[in-house]
Amino acid sequence: MALATADLCDRFSEQENFQIAEPMLRHFGGKCQFSGLITTLKVFEDNSLVRSTLEENGQGRVLVVDGGGSRRCALLGDTLAALAVKNAWEGIVVYGCVRSVDLLGKMPVAVMALNTHPLRSNKHGHGDRDKMITFAGVNFKKDHYIYADNDGIIVADTKLD
C-alpha cells in the first residue's frame, strides 16, 4: 500500500462507491497499514469458517469477518493469526473480539477488531462466506478493495491508484 488513507480520502472521497468506516476498530496485529481484495465471512460466536478460510492462500487478500459485534468470545487468536501469516493474508478485520493480543502484536499480520476477550469461540461450522456484510457504516463485498492504516478504513469497489 503506497498511499495513506488520508491521501486516498483527499484524492478519491468524492467518487461513488468510496466508503469510510466509522472509527470503532482497534489495531492488534504487528502491521497497521494494509490493503487488498476483500473476502467476507458472517459468523456469530463460531470461528470455524475463519479457520478454514485462513487455511487458503490469502496473498493480496484481506479477510473481513462480521461477528455480529459480539463481545462474549474471541473469533481470532494467535493460532489463527499464525495461519494467516503462513498463508500470506494481508490482514484480518473482525467486527467482534480477538484474544492473545500480546502475541498478535508481535506477528507480521494486520489485525483489527472491536476489543479483546479471553474466551475462544464455538466451533459448529455455522456462517456464510462471500456475502455482503455491513458494519461500521460500510458495506463490505467480496472482491472490493479495502485500505487501512492508523487513520482508519476505506472500502472502494475498484482499486485506488
Side-chain angles (χ1 to χ4, degrees):
M1 183 167 128
L3 296 175
T5 57
D7 294 332
L8 292 172
C9 283
D10 291 348
R11 290 182 56 196
F12 298 104
S13 64
E14 306 269 331
Q15 293 184 8
E16 282 187 38
N17 299 314
F18 181 95
Q19 303 173 80
I20 303 167
E22 297 169 5
M24 60 184 353
L25 302 174
R26 298 172 29 204
H27 287 278
F28 293 99
K31 284 177 36 181
C32 290
Q33 188 176 39
F34 61 101
S35 64
L37 284 167
I38 295 171
T39 296
T40 65
L41 295 178
K42 185 171 181 74
V43 300
F44 189 73
E45 299 179 0
D46 183 335
N47 73 351
S48 301
L49 284 178
V50 176
R51 172 179 285 284
S52 63
T53 303
L54 292 174
E55 289 173 343
E56 301 170 10
N57 181 353
Q59 188 164 7
R61 301 199 68 85
V62 174
L63 180 60
V64 180
V65 181
D66 180 352
S70 174
R71 289 180 170 92
R72 298 189 312 189
C73 67
L75 292 174
L76 181 91
D78 62 306
T79 302
L80 294 187
L83 197 55
V85 170
K86 176 185 171 193
N87 291 315
W89 285 86
E90 301 297 326
I92 306 158
V93 177
V94 180
Y95 182 50
C97 291
V98 295
R99 69 185 200 160
S100 304
V101 295
D102 292 336
L103 295 172
L104 290 180
K106 296 175 184 174
M107 301 176 107
V109 65
V111 176
M112 293 182 77
L114 282 174
N115 217 319
T116 63
H117 199 289
L119 181 67
R120 67 179 172 198
S121 74
N122 296 312
K123 289 162 183 33
H124 300 296
H126 298 187
D128 293 306
R129 181 174 172 163
D130 294 333
K131 301 204 174 180
M132 185 181 82
I133 56 177
T134 303
F135 61 88
V138 171
N139 295 320
F140 297 91
K141 296 180 183 176
K142 180 185 185 307
D143 293 335
H144 282 196
Y145 290 83
I146 186 170
Y147 301 86
D149 61 17
N150 284 323
D151 285 335
I153 297 173
I154 294 169
V155 174
D157 65 344
T158 57
K159 189 171 186 177
L160 303 176
D161 292 323

